[in-house]
């Protein structure tokens, strides 16, 4: 780094850069994980140390308090990544250092406790509202605290643990939680061990892991778990050594990486350890290149961890940085397709193989070739070619194990009505009846009861007026299509999901007339061949994802393109109630991403296009409905969209082909989910 830093902050921005601020200086800089380069920024208004930095829903970063002496730096400021500039966020009640700042689900920031600059711990709590750029007082904690930890829980409440009651005072074992709905604090069970200078990490299970810290005057190697459901604590395994003023980072694997710190004296630690939630056990991992205490860390989009700054030994400060690479990253490369293709289909067969069919070549020509992926051998083999070259088609597994491919385009001016069926037993394709209307970017949904396939909407040409409202049904027994009731809205780039009732939910899309981007949704009844409206989504969108959750009682919709461009927003459809509820937004805006439900019940959303300044993405993220939270899921080998995606027999996810800045690609990536 350009500056030595102690007790700095490191914040991963939505553009993939890491903002490093303060640490005994007003200087700030950006780290680019792709090139491992640092870029100096304009300085903050004041020097800060032991401050907080919070990524807001807007993508800006709120920096609060901190101090380089006994007098803490008053006030707060905002970093804008679009302009790389700082602006004041005035209105904080008191100077604060060693406080906590937590982003609430509604976008506000909860700033709790800390040192007022004279060694006195504070119980007062403030709320920052980005919408009004203002501060307000909320309910005070039951205990004054500094050097505590705060964790956002899955239910939207905030857990505060430990700390001291003054700069040289008692170390606390008490914990309490804040309810944003009431502005009040409620005591929960005390920790097994009193702690300050510890870490608190929300696990993928929704529990909170608290590790290390000072237990009175001595450092501890103990750890414990908080269960939000019962409000109780359970002891966990011991860290390899006593540790205080270390960092803890949740990895994409669900493990927790603890780095550096101190055993309570010197020499400071260069060690690192991993906590595995399945066993509750800590194990040592690779040591750092430098000893560090009071350093900072950040999870990078790759799944690696950036560690920077701190104190290597008494009397010195560090400007060095290093990266920890887990033994298994979320994404790994698989055997290449052999031929580059985008806008293809990837379909999991009953055999466990994945069928990749058609697509567009690097020159944009439609392909007839098809290949099969065998996960056990990580290999591709040719299978029978399509009867019709096509891209932007649909591929639907039938109940008898065959695959129906319908529609798509042959070139920029030809929309196809031709359909064909693949038989895995013979590796051959058979032409069946044509669609009544040539179409691409339609949906094709298997109806669980009858085994028929419902095709809806899409476009039959390049003009807006060619967007279709019509729907058709394929009968596998006869190989023929028949018209069924038309949708209430013309739609393309929409989504369709089968429901447990047998109905099909169709939502969003690019439409015609005044409703060019629609939030509307409707339900198809196979028994009557008719449509009925259901509640509209909160946000109009097209090019989004829609994935049924669990037993099908809810449907997750996320991303797409809205009135203002690519979207981060997400919402849940309640099938029984026929209503929508806004949930946590994705970390990145994503247009035309792909998604699948994982064996864990979480949903993986892969790449897409991020719009101006971001372009085609290589990152992914996972949604957990129980936690109502998105967590990073690593990056692919290249930026990529228009690929094929399929869930493999092992529970891993195959992403094949696609296109990026270099056009169609032949590369294949495989995602390994967290337990």
């Amino acid at each position: 780094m350009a500056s030595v830093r102690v007790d700095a902050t490191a914040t991963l921005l939505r553009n993939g850069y890491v903002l490093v601020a303060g640490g005994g200086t007003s200087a700030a800089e950006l780290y680019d994980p792709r090139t491992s380069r640092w870029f100096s920024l304009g300085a903050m208004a004041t020097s800060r140390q032991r401050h907080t930095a919070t990524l807001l829903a807007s993508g800006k970063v709120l920096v609060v308090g901190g101090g380089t002496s006994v007098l803490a730096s008053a006030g707060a400021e905002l970093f804008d990544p679009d302009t790389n500039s700082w602006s004041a966020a005035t209105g904080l009640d008191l100077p604060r250092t060693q406080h906590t700042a937590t982003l609430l689900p509604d976008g506000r920031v909860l700033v709790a406790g800390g040192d007022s600059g004279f060694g006195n711990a504070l119980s007062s709590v403030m709320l920052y509202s980005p919408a009004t750029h203002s501060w307000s007082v909320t309910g005070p904690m039951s205990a004054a605290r500094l050097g505590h930890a705060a964790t956002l829980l899955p239910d939207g409440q905030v857990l505060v643990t430990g700390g001291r009651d003054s700069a040289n005072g008692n170390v606390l074992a008490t914990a309490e939680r804040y309810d944003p709905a009431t502005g009040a604090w409620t005591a929960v069970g005390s920790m097994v061990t009193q702690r300050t200078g510890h870490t608190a990490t929300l696990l993928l299970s929704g529990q909170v892991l608290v590790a290390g810290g000072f237990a009175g005057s001595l450092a501890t190697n103990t750890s414990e778990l908080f269960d939000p459901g019962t409000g109780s604590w359970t002891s966990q395994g011991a860290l390899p050594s006593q540790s205080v003023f270390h960092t803890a980072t949740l990895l994409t694997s669900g493990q927790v990486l603890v780095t550096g710190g101190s055993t309570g004296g010197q020499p400071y630690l260069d060690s690192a350890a991993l906590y595995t939630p399945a066993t509750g056990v800590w194990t040592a991992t690779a040591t750092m290149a430098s000893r560090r205490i009071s350093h900072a860390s950040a999870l990078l989009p790759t799944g690696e961890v950036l560690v920077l700054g701190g104190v290597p030994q008494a009397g010195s400060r560090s400007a060095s940085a290093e990266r920890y690479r887990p033994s298994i990253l979320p994404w790994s490369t698989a055997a290449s397709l052999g031929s580059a293709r985008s806008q293809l289909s990837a379909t999991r067969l009953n055999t466990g193989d994945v069928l990749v069919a058609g697509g567009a070549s690097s020159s944009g020509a439609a392909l007839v070739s098809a290949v099969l992926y065998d996960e056990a051998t990580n290999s591709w083999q040719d299978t029978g070619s399509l009867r019709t070259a096509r891209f932007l088609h649909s591929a639907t597994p039938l109940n008898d194990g065959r695959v129906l491919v319908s529609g798509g385009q042959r070139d920029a001016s030809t929309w196809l009505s031709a359909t064909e069926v693949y038989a895995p037993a013979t590796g051959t394709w058979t032409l069946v009846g044509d669609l009544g209307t040539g179409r691409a970017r339609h949906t094709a949904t298997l109806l669980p009861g009858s085994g028929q396939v419902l095709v809806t909407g899409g476009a039959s040409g390049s003009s807006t007026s060619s967007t279709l409202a019509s729907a058709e049904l394929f009968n596998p027994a006869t190989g023929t299509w028949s018209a069924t009731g038309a949708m209430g809205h013309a739609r393309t780039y929409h989504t369709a999901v089968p429901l447990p009732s047998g109905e099909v939910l169709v939502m969003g899309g690019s439409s015609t007339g005044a409703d060019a981007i629609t939030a509307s949704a409707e339900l198809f009844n196979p028994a009557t061949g008719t449509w009925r409206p259901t509640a509209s989504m909160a946000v109009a969108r097209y090019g989004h994802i829609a994935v049924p959750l669990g037993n099908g009682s809810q449907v997750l919709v996320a991303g797409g393109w809205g009135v203002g461009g690519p979207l981060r927003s997400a919402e849940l459809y309640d099938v029984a109630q026929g209503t929508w509820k806004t949930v946590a937004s994705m970390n990145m805006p994503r247009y035309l991403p792909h998604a699948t439900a994982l064996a864990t019940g979480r949903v993986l959303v892969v790449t897409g296009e991020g719009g101006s300044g971001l372009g085609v993405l290589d990152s992914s993220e996972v949604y957990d409905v129980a936690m109502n939270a998105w967590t990073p899921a690593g990056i692919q080998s290249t930026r990529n969209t228009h690929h094929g995606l399929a869930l493999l027999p092992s529970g891993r996810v195959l992403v094949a082909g696609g296109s990026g800045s270099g056009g169609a690609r032949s590369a294949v990536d495989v995602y390994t989910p967290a337990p």
Side-chain angles (χ1 to χ4, degrees), residues 98 114-115 118-122 144-147 162-173 194-197 214-218:
Q98 298 186 71
D115 185 338
F118 299 94
N120 300 317
L122 300 169
R145 304 173 190 268
L146 60 83
R164 289 185 186 271
D165 61 10
S166 67
N168 297 304
N170 297 315
V171 177
L172 305 173
Q194 58 185 158
R195 301 175 193 272
T196 187
F214 280 115
S217 59
L218 299 176

Side-chain angles (χ1 to χ4, degrees), residues 447 454 471 473 484-485 502-506 522-532:
L447 303 179
L454 172 71
L473 287 170
T484 189
E503 291 184 302
V504 176
L505 172 69
V506 170
E522 47 193 308
L523 293 162
F524 176 75
N525 185 335
T528 61
T530 58
W531 296 85
R532 62 183 176 90

Side-chain angles (χ1 to χ4, degrees), residues 74-469:
E77 44 195 310
L78 285 168
F79 176 75
D80 187 339
D82 291 334
T83 60
N84 286 339
S85 62
W86 296 90
S87 61
T90 56
L92 187 66
D93 59 342
L94 292 167
R96 293 177 188 259
T97 188
Q98 298 186 71
H99 55 285
T100 58
T102 309
L103 181 69
L104 301 177
D106 63 10
R108 295 179 298 170
V109 178
L110 181 78
V111 173
D115 185 338
S116 63
F118 299 94
N120 300 317
L122 300 169
S123 62
S124 62
V125 182
M126 296 286 288
L127 284 169
Y128 175 76
S129 174
T132 59
H133 197 49
S134 62
W135 293 87
S136 59
V137 175
T138 188
M141 295 185 290
S142 60
R145 304 173 190 268
L146 60 83
H148 52 288
T151 312
L152 180 68
L153 300 175
D155 62 3
Q157 297 190 20
V158 177
L159 174 72
V160 163
T161 57
R164 289 185 186 271
D165 61 10
S166 67
N168 297 304
N170 297 315
V171 177
L172 305 173
T174 58
E176 49 191 309
R177 59 197 297 175
Y178 174 78
D179 186 346
T182 63
W185 294 83
T186 304
V188 298
S190 292
M191 294 184 290
V192 176
T193 303
Q194 58 185 158
R195 301 175 193 272
T196 187
H198 57 290
T199 54
T201 309
L202 182 68
L203 304 179
L204 295 180
S205 65
Q207 296 174 304
V208 178
L209 174 69
V210 168
F214 280 115
S217 59
L218 299 176
T220 180
N221 66 347
T222 62
S223 67
E224 49 191 300
L225 273 183
F226 176 74
D227 185 332
T230 62
S232 60
W233 295 88
T234 306
S235 293
Q236 296 293 285
L239 284 85
S241 66
Q242 290 86 3
S243 189
V244 64
F245 300 134
H246 52 281
T247 65
T249 307
L250 180 69
L251 303 180
T252 54
S253 65
Q255 295 176 299
V256 177
L257 174 73
V258 160
T259 66
S262 167
T263 59
Q266 292 195 58
Y268 300 137
L269 299 174
D270 58 4
S271 59
L274 287 170
Y275 171 81
T276 301
T279 61
V281 172
W282 292 88
T283 54
T285 187
T287 58
M288 295 186 291
S290 172
R291 298 181 182 274
R292 300 179 191 272
I293 187 174
S294 299
H295 50 294
S297 66
L299 181 69
L300 299 177
T302 57
E304 297 171 292
V305 177
L306 175 69
V307 175
L308 56 94
V311 177
Q313 59 187 14
S316 66
R317 298 184 172 205
S318 176
S320 70
E322 48 191 305
R323 289 162 72 147
Y324 173 78
R325 183 181 179 90
S327 57
I328 299 177
L329 288 173
W331 290 93
S332 58
T333 56
S336 171
L337 277 167
S339 59
R341 61 179 84 209
S342 67
Q343 299 174 335
L344 61 150
S345 62
T347 311
R348 163 95 170 269
L349 304 177
N350 288 347
T351 61
D353 289 347
V354 174
L355 171 70
V356 164
S361 69
S362 298
S363 65
L367 299 171
V368 296
S369 60
V371 289
L372 291 170
Y373 178 74
D374 183 332
E375 183 184 16
T377 61
N378 182 31
S379 63
W380 295 89
Q381 65 178 49
D382 292 335
T383 189
S385 293
L386 289 158
R387 301 292 295 275
T388 303
R390 61 180 88 221
F391 57 87
L392 291 178
H393 51 283
S394 61
T396 314
L398 303 175
N399 284 339
D400 60 10
R402 297 181 300 161
V403 177
L404 170 71
V405 164
S406 56
Q409 291 180 234
R410 187 174 62 207
D411 52 45
S413 58
T414 307
W415 279 255
L416 300 170
S417 59
T419 64
E420 48 193 302
V421 171
Y422 177 77
T426 60
T428 58
W429 296 87
T430 303
L431 287 172
V432 291
D434 286 355
L435 287 159
T437 304
R439 60 182 85 213
R441 293 210 179 274
H442 51 285
T443 62
T445 309
L446 179 70
L447 303 179
S450 65
Q452 293 184 307
V453 176
L454 172 71
V455 160
T456 69
S460 60
S462 57
S463 67
T464 305
S465 61
S466 67
T467 302
L468 301 169

